[in-house]
Amino acid sequence: MLKNKTALITGGGRGIGHAIACRFAREGCHIIIADLEVKSEKIEALRACGAKPDVHMADLADEEQIVRLFSVIGRLDILVNNAGVYGPVKKIVDMDRAEWDRTFAVNLTSAMLCSREAVKKMMEQRSGSIVNIASNVARRGLPYRGCYVATKWAMLGLTQTLALETATCGIRVNAVLPGPVPTPHLDEVMECHARVEGRNASDVAEDWRLSAPMKRFIDPEEVANVALFLASEQSSAMTGQSLNVTGGFLMT
Ligand SMILES: NC(=O)c1ccc[n+]([C@@H]2O[C@H](COP(=O)([O-])OP(=O)(O)OC[C@H]3O[C@@H](n4cnc5c(N)ncnc54)[C@H](O)[C@@H]3O)[C@@H](O)[C@H]2O)c1
């Protein structure tokens, strides 16, 4: 489905981003990963899916590193803005400004900057697809997660606005809203919630698992399949859309 295409997946070194990279690779896509860290076994896993990945170590909270990254990559057909952190797990009343700013830099500003650089290339090509990985908390608040929640709501605003600005240029911009996906990110965040709520991490996990009508977590592969659909020509008439992959937790 992605033969002869090139995709940059931010934060593709592990978790959901790595599952997306593997899924795209199996469709014949050339894979570029930008991440703070990529373990050798993750590169091997990509090779096993048929990729010869280009791996770039970069802190995407840093604009200079983003600009440098885009100056060394050539044609780009697909950008997946996936890199993200869960941010401070505390109430707004206790919020720390530096933690807030860092979370916005990684989750939102990096997506804007990568999109800005990608769109310059895609405008020349008159084609491209951008997929933003948001979250089920992009549609409703969550106590102790005000910062993360705000970044993900803002990501939908970014998605819709960029979609409108590029709609006649052959560029499409869409978002995926995953529910809880078992990754290192989720394990850490559930432990933080357990700590601030004075509960066991296993009880928090059980609550979150049961909160969706399907009463289960989401597999990274299930997110990757929807990202593939949005990245590919299968969704050629869709732009500015946000697709929920939440086991029925979100319905609008
Ligand atoms: N896991 C979930 O339950 C879940 C649910 C909804 C949305 N999401 C979103 O999906 C995306 C991926 O989450 P995940 O669960 O795979 O997380 P993860 O922590 O397993 O992976 C995130 C990746 O992003 C990279 N990264 C973080 N900061 C970076 C930076 N400054 N520069 C470059 N790379 C950086 C990390 O090194 C890591 O490889 C995130 O945007 C997250 O908010 C996750």
Side-chain angles (χ1 to χ4, degrees):
M1 217 186 273
L2 301 181
K3 218 165 179 345
N4 299 324
K5 303 281 186 195
T6 296
L8 167 62
I9 296 137
T10 71
R14 70 177 201 189
I16 293 171
H18 189 260
I20 293 171
C22 289
R23 186 72 189 87
F24 286 15
R26 289 203 301 275
E27 295 296 327
C29 190
H30 175 55
I31 303 296
I32 306 170
I33 283 178
D35 203 314
L36 288 173
E37 186 194 19
V38 184
K39 297 217 163 85
S40 56
E41 67 259 27
K42 295 295 187 184
I43 297 175
E44 281 315 310
L46 275 166
R47 292 210 177 104
C49 296
K52 289 186 192 140
D54 278 343
V55 178
H56 298 262
M57 302 303 169
D59 180 355
L60 300 172
D62 178 353
E63 180 172 4
E64 262 180 45
Q65 295 190 40
I66 291 178
V67 172
R68 203 175 315 131
L69 168 71
F70 277 83
S71 73
V72 297
I73 62 178
R75 186 189 165 88
L76 190 66
D77 302 291
I78 298 159
L79 167 67
V80 182
N81 285 309
N82 164 82
V85 290
Y86 56 82
V89 181
K90 51 181 63 160
K91 291 185 173 169
I92 300 288
V93 71
D94 299 319
M95 192 56 67
D96 176 87
R97 175 66 194 270
E99 286 180 304
W100 174 277
D101 286 349
R102 171 76 190 171
T103 307
F104 265 77
V106 179
N107 291 10
L108 183 68
T109 310
S110 80
M112 180 276 289
L113 293 170
C114 288
S115 298
R116 182 187 75 189
E117 298 305 310
V119 161
K120 288 180 196 164
K121 291 179 186 285
M122 291 171 175
M123 287 263 198
E124 276 180 23
Q125 300 162 192
R126 295 207 65 78
S127 73
S129 177
I130 297 177
V131 180
N132 292 326
I133 306 301
S135 165
N136 59 357
V137 301
R139 294 221 198 269
R140 56 185 289 172
L142 181 65
Y144 299 103
R145 300 297 299 291
C147 183
Y148 180 79
V149 166
T151 65
K152 296 299 186 180
W153 277 72
M155 197 173 217
L156 299 194
L158 180 71
T159 302
Q160 292 188 8
T161 303
L162 189 58
L164 289 168
E165 289 174 356
T166 58
T168 57
C169 307
I171 301 170
R172 300 183 300 106
V173 189
N174 293 291
V176 182
L177 285 66
V181 178
T183 65
H185 169 113
L186 186 68
D187 293 342
E188 289 163 22
V189 80
M190 286 190 308
E191 272 173 30
C192 291
H193 271 271
R195 228 175 358 257
V196 294
E197 293 169 18
R199 308 169 64 203
N200 291 326
S202 55
D203 292 340
V204 172
E206 198 56 1
D207 274 3
W208 287 15
R209 192 177 66 78
L210 297 176
S211 64
M214 285 187 181
K215 311 243 174 278
R216 67 171 177 84
F217 286 142
I218 310 299
D219 195 281
E221 192 72 11
E222 294 176 305
V223 180
N225 285 335
V226 177
L228 171 63
F229 169 67
L230 290 175
S232 77
E233 284 304 300
Q234 297 289 312
S235 58
S236 53
M238 293 174 66
T239 196
Q241 304 304 303
S242 306
L243 297 187
N244 304 324
V245 186
T246 64
F249 179 72
L250 294 176
M251 294 202 171
T252 56

